[in-house]
């Protein structure tokens, strides 16, 4: 469901950066004006604070509610992976089916029940000026005013994101005046919520309009409770572009977050999600990954088919990777009573293994306890001095797939509560997978397309035996530091150069004399040597 982003030249991006830096300058922070009331989430000295003054850093994801209103379990699933915020896609009826007041009230209640801060956005404004079907910011403001009775009193829990990516690449300078007008219209209607505004250029501001006019827009809000949202996709493919943009706002003491971002490469380039997440953590800025599930192109789905048990490689990166949600998210203190919950759960009991096969095993452990509630468990593989994330579960059992036959693994478990506190590690359990059944196979591998820093690959797995293969696992090794960033037809787990692929539901069985195809995108350096050896369920496959 993500709109395509247009490519830009390095020269234009550099010029926009220089202009924006000069425009932002280092002006003193916009102090809260006399009479401004911190009724809930609010901005002070360039920071997003809760009503009690505690700093709040958003760590969460986007959820396409307006297109998938029946996926009511999604917020609970998102929370189970440690998120403290969810950005919810809504429609004012201009382009998609209007979300009613009753529906929005239910969404807010669902956010609160799952202890999530709720960012609500109107998606119909996407690409205005370039997208003929897009709505105006003024119409989005009218939609919010129509919801005032629903949103009044929710200032501790709800941020109003007026309109998603409310200007395309056509005359993006036209973004500023409608943005100011929409903010002031909401304030005149009595809204006291923190307001979020998205950038033009389909959210990526590659021409620097939001950066150059941020002070003007911020000063136009009589309450000072306004935060800017930059969307980072393929325009932000170098560390310097990312850090320069974010630091420009921080230096000017203007509040900002990464309201959407992607990591898998697209036809325009390869976003540098590692720097986005690292910079956000270093600067204590929020980030909200796009998106939980349901994208027209599933390359950006964090969970496959809305199934929390089937995180994509993109989902694993966001939740369990360095500077990810599991490591960095802290629940809003509004959900913890008079103060923040700082007490970690007890360590879970020792796991036991059952239903061990050549490629899978089920782990079960005695539950941990917590002063509030245990919300999730993180399963890790203990390998030397390293703890490698393997899976997350909202219950005290999980089935691990994609294991290598005839291999000994050591697993342990951490418990996690809603505030992000993590327990000590449980005792470990060793699991040795079964030997692989005899198989006959051949594998064809090719790089379909390559670009600077990335490539698209294809793997054709053929069953040369006489019986079907079900629940297979394919293993191979990259020699040049390549990394799988997204995969379809299977799910990849990677440890250094070694990649293990488990099947998707529709590729889980390879018929006798039949084949399945797995595609993926990956990152690479200067060389991209193809793997030379493949093992299917532990058996060496011939090259096809």
């Amino acid at each position: 469901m993500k709109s395509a982003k247009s490519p830009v030249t390095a020269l234009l991006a550099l010029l926009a950066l220089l202009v924006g830096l000069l425009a932002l300058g280092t002006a003193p922070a916009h102090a809260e004006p006399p009479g401004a009331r911190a009724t809930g989430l609010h901005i002070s000295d360039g920071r997003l604070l809760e009503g009690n003054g505690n700093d709040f850093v958003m760590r969460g994801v986007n959820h396409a509610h307006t297109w998938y209103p029946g996926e009511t379990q999604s917020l609970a699933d998102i929370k189970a992976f440690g998120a403290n915020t969810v950005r919810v896609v809504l429609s004012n009826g201009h382009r998609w089916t209007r979300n009613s007041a009753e529906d929005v009230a239910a969404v807010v209640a669902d956010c609160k029940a799952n202890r999530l801060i709720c960012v609500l956005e109107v998606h119909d404004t996407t690409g205005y000026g370039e997208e003929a079907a897009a709505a105006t910011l003024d119409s989005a403001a009218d939609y919010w005013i129509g919801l005032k009775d629903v949103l009044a009193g929710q200032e501790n829990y709800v941020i109003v994101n007026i309109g998603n990516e409310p200007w395309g690449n056509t005359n993006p300078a036209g973004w500023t005046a409608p943005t100011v007008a929409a903010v002031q219209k909401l304030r005149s209607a009595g809204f006291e919520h923190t307001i979020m505004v998205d950038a033009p250029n389909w959210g990526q501001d590659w021409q620097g309009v939001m950066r150059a006019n941020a002070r003007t827009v911020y000063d136009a809000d009589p309450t000072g409770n306004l935060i800017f949202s930059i969307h980072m996709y393929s325009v932000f493919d170098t560390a310097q572009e990312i850090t320069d943009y974010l630091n420009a706002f921080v230096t000017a003491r203007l509040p900002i977050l990464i309201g959407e971002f992607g990591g898998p490469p697209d036809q325009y380039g390869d976003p540098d999600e590692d720097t986005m997440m690292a910079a956000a953590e270093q600067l204590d800025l929020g980030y909200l990954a796009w998106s939980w599930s349901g994208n027209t192109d599933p390359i950006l789905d964090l969970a496959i088919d809305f199934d929390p048990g089937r995180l994509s490689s993109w989902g694993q990166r966001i939740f369990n990777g360095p500077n990810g949600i599991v490591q960095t998210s802290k629940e809003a203190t509004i959900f913890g009573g008079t103060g923040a919950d700082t007490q970690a759960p007890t360590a879970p009991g020792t796991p036991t293994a059952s239903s061990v096969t050549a490629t899978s095993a089920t782990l079960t452990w005695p539950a941990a306890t917590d002063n509030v509630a245990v919300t999730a468990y993180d399963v890790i593989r203990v390998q030397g001095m390293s703890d490698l994330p393997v899976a997350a579960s909202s219950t005290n059992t999980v089935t691990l797939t994609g294991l290598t036959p005839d291999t000994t693994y050591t697993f342990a478990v951490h418990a996690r509560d809603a505030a992000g506190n993590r327990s000590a590690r449980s005792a470990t359990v060793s699991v040795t997978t079964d030997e692989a059944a005899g198989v006959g196979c051949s594998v064809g591998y090719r790089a379909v397309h390559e670009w600077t820093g990335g490539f698209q690959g294809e793997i054709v797995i053929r069953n040369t035996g006489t019986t079907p293969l079900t629940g297979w696992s394919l293993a191979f090794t990259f020699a040049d530091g390549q990394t799988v960033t997204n995969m379809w037809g299977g799910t990849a787990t990677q440890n250094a150069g070694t990649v293990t692929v488990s099947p998707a539901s529709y590729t889980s069985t390879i018929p006798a004399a039949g084949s399945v195809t797995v595609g993926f995108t990956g990152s690479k350096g200067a060389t991209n040597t193809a793997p030379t050896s493949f093992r299917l369920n532990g058996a060496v496959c011939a090259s096809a």
Side-chain angles (χ1 to χ4, degrees):
M1 292 293 182
K2 196 69 206 131
S3 298
K5 304 298 190 293
S6 298
V8 298
T9 66
L11 178 59
L12 284 172
L14 179 59
L15 288 172
L17 171 65
L18 293 173
V19 171
L21 288 173
L22 290 171
L24 278 177
T26 56
H30 178 103
E32 291 183 57
R37 291 176 291 166
T39 57
L41 290 160
H42 64 284
I43 302 299
S44 179
D45 198 22
R47 302 292 304 168
L48 177 63
L49 307 181
E50 294 189 69
N52 60 11
N54 285 339
D55 205 63
F56 182 68
V57 179
M58 285 182 263
R59 288 286 183 268
V61 306
N62 288 263
H63 171 52
H65 170 75
T66 198
W67 301 309
Y68 301 99
E71 296 294 340
T72 55
Q73 179 62 27
S74 291
L75 297 193
D77 294 336
I78 290 166
K79 181 62 178 183
F81 283 104
N84 64 20
T85 305
V86 63
R87 181 172 178 258
V88 180
V89 177
L90 301 176
S91 172
N92 69 349
H94 182 87
R95 189 172 180 185
W96 295 285
T97 302
R98 181 185 181 93
N99 293 98
S100 67
E102 293 77 14
D103 182 47
V104 175
V107 167
V108 172
D110 198 9
C111 284
K112 292 167 69 175
N114 287 289
R115 304 163 74 93
L116 290 162
I117 295 301
C118 204
V119 178
L120 302 176
E121 60 102 342
V122 167
H123 214 76
D124 306 67
T125 57
T126 305
Y128 180 81
E130 185 175 353
E131 170 56 65
T136 64
L137 275 173
D138 187 64
S139 72
D142 287 339
Y143 175 71
W144 296 121
I145 291 170
L147 293 173
K148 186 179 178 184
D149 289 345
V150 170
L151 301 178
Q154 303 299 330
E155 292 85 356
N156 278 306
Y157 306 97
V158 172
I159 293 172
V160 176
N161 188 178
I162 304 178
N164 181 70
E165 301 177 1
W167 212 275
N169 293 322
T170 303
N171 186 31
W175 166 90
T176 304
T179 300
V180 167
V183 170
Q184 292 181 337
K185 190 171 192 176
L186 291 180
R187 294 306 185 205
S188 296
F191 276 75
E192 298 178 352
H193 304 71
T194 296
I195 289 176
M196 184 182 294
V197 296
D198 284 6
N201 295 127
W202 300 90
Q204 296 199 82
D205 200 29
W206 62 265
Q207 291 175 290
V209 171
M210 184 172 82
R211 188 169 51 215
N213 293 279
R215 176 64 59 187
T216 297
V217 174
Y218 188 74
D219 287 346
D221 182 356
T223 73
N225 289 335
L226 182 143
I227 187 168
F228 296 95
S229 175
I230 182 68
H231 293 183
M232 291 187 168
Y233 292 94
S234 53
V235 166
F236 291 91
D237 56 0
T238 69
Q240 183 173 353
E241 288 168 331
I242 295 162
T243 56
D244 284 353
Y245 194 95
L246 296 177
N247 275 300
F249 280 77
V250 172
T251 299
R253 292 158 74 183
L254 287 166
I256 191 168
L257 83 154
I258 307 174
E260 287 185 21
F261 68 104
D266 58 26
Q267 66 266 43
Y268 303 123
D270 186 3
D272 184 359
E273 70 276 15
D274 290 340
T275 297
M276 295 176 201
M277 297 168 72
E281 178 63 12
Q282 179 186 11
L283 297 170
D284 282 335
L285 302 179
Y287 67 65
L288 304 173
W290 187 274
S291 72
W292 177 241
S293 197
N295 288 281
T296 303
D297 181 354
I299 193 171
L300 285 172
D301 283 357
L302 298 162
I304 299 168
D305 295 332
F306 293 92
D307 182 353
R310 299 170 61 207
L311 288 184
S312 66
S313 55
W314 174 228
Q316 291 286 358
R317 174 69 189 89
I318 289 300
F319 291 110
N320 296 319
N323 301 304
I325 286 173
V326 167
Q327 288 185 1
T328 66
S329 176
K330 297 295 181 184
E331 186 179 81
T333 60
I334 189 65
F335 298 116
T338 57
D341 177 12
T342 60
Q343 181 174 327
T346 62
T350 304
T352 57
S354 61
S355 303
V356 179
T357 70
T359 60
S360 66
T362 297
L363 300 182
T364 305
W365 54 89
T369 60
D370 186 62
N371 64 314
V372 178
V374 174
T375 58
Y377 294 92
D378 301 322
V379 180
I380 59 170
R381 180 183 179 185
V382 181
Q383 195 171 29
M385 299 299 292
S386 300
D387 289 353
L388 307 176
V390 174
S393 175
S394 58
T395 66
N396 62 325
T397 186
V398 69
T399 297
L400 306 177
T401 59
L403 305 180
T404 302
D406 197 22
T407 301
T408 298
Y409 294 86
T410 301
F411 296 112
V413 183
H414 293 275
R416 182 162 29 91
D417 65 17
N421 299 310
R422 204 176 189 213
S423 75
R425 196 176 77 186
S426 73
T428 60
V429 60
S430 292
V431 179
T432 301
T433 52
D434 295 341
E435 293 184 3
V439 297
C441 57
S442 65
V443 174
Y445 176 97
R446 69 185 181 111
V448 177
H449 178 59
E450 295 192 39
W451 56 89
T452 302
F455 69 107
Q456 179 181 337
E458 179 183 87
I459 305 170
V460 179
I461 309 164
R462 180 169 294 279
N463 176 6
T464 59
T466 58
T467 59
L469 291 175
T470 301
W472 50 267
S473 174
L474 180 74
F476 61 91
T477 300
F478 283 126
D480 300 321
Q482 301 99 317
T483 301
V484 175
T485 54
N486 190 69
M487 178 169 282
W488 52 97
T491 300
T493 56
Q494 186 165 351
N495 180 18
T498 300
V499 179
T500 301
V501 180
S502 56
S505 58
Y506 55 91
T507 59
S508 60
T509 298
I510 310 177
S515 66
V516 296
T517 300
V518 175
F520 68 93
T521 55
S523 61
K524 68 176 184 65
T527 54
N528 187 23
T529 306
T532 57
S533 177
F534 295 86
R535 288 180 176 268
L536 188 67
N537 290 353
V540 177
C541 297
S543 296

